[in-house]
Amino acid sequence: QVQLVESGGGLVQPGGSLTLSCAASGITFVINAMGWYRQPAGKERELVATITSGGTPNYANSVKARFTISRDNANNTVHLHMNSLKPEDTAIYYCHADDKYFADKEYWGKGTLVTVNP
C-alpha cells in the first residue's frame, strides 16, 4: 500500500501564497503520476494539477499561471506552490497518486484545508 500525507494548509489572505506538500510512504515504487485535487464545501472534488513521473505538469485552467506543481522522486514528495490566492481557492486539498501497474488503482491522502479569507 501507499500512504499519502499532506501538510501546509492554513488560512491566508487574498493575494497571498501558500505551499502544500505531500509525502508518500509504503511501496512507493508503484507510484506513477501524482497530483492535487480539491473539494470546496458543498461541491465535487476537482482536479488542480498533476505531474508525471518524468516531471510533466498539467493544470486546471482556473489555477494556470498561479499554481506550480513540483515533484521530488528521490524523496517521494510532491508540492503545490500557490500564488495570488483567491477566496474561490478555499477548499480541502487532497494529494493523489496513480499506480503504474494497475490502471484502476489510486491512492489518496486525507486532505488539508486551505482557507483564503481577509
Side-chain angles (χ1 to χ4, degrees):
Q1 275 290 1
V2 172
Q3 294 79 42
L4 302 174
V5 179
E6 304 96 337
S7 61
L11 174 65
V12 63
Q13 292 186 341
S17 299
L18 206 59
T19 295
L20 305 182
S21 297
C22 172
S25 61
I27 49 170
T28 56
F29 68 88
V30 306
I31 293 175
N32 193 9
M34 296 186 75
W36 292 91
Y37 288 71
R38 68 186 181 187
Q39 187 166 17
K43 297 184 179 181
E44 293 187 355
R45 194 173 297 189
E46 61 183 14
L47 170 73
V48 177
T50 61
I51 187 166
T52 66
S53 56
T56 300
N58 178 58
Y59 298 97
N61 287 334
S62 59
V63 306
K64 273 182 185 175
R66 298 191 299 124
F67 291 9
T68 302
I69 190 169
S70 62
R71 181 170 179 170
D72 182 347
N73 289 330
N75 293 304
N76 297 308
T77 56
V78 63
H79 307 280
L80 185 68
H81 309 279
M82 305 184 291
N83 296 318
S84 303
L85 282 161
K86 306 175 182 179
E88 51 264 43
D89 295 317
T90 296
I92 298 175
Y93 283 71
Y94 296 91
C95 183
H96 175 268
D98 292 329
D99 191 297
K100 67 173 68 171
Y101 298 109
F102 298 98
D104 60 347
K105 196 161 188 176
E106 56 185 357
Y107 307 97
W108 291 95
K110 292 184 178 180
T112 185
L113 178 63
V114 172
T115 303
V116 185
N117 204 4

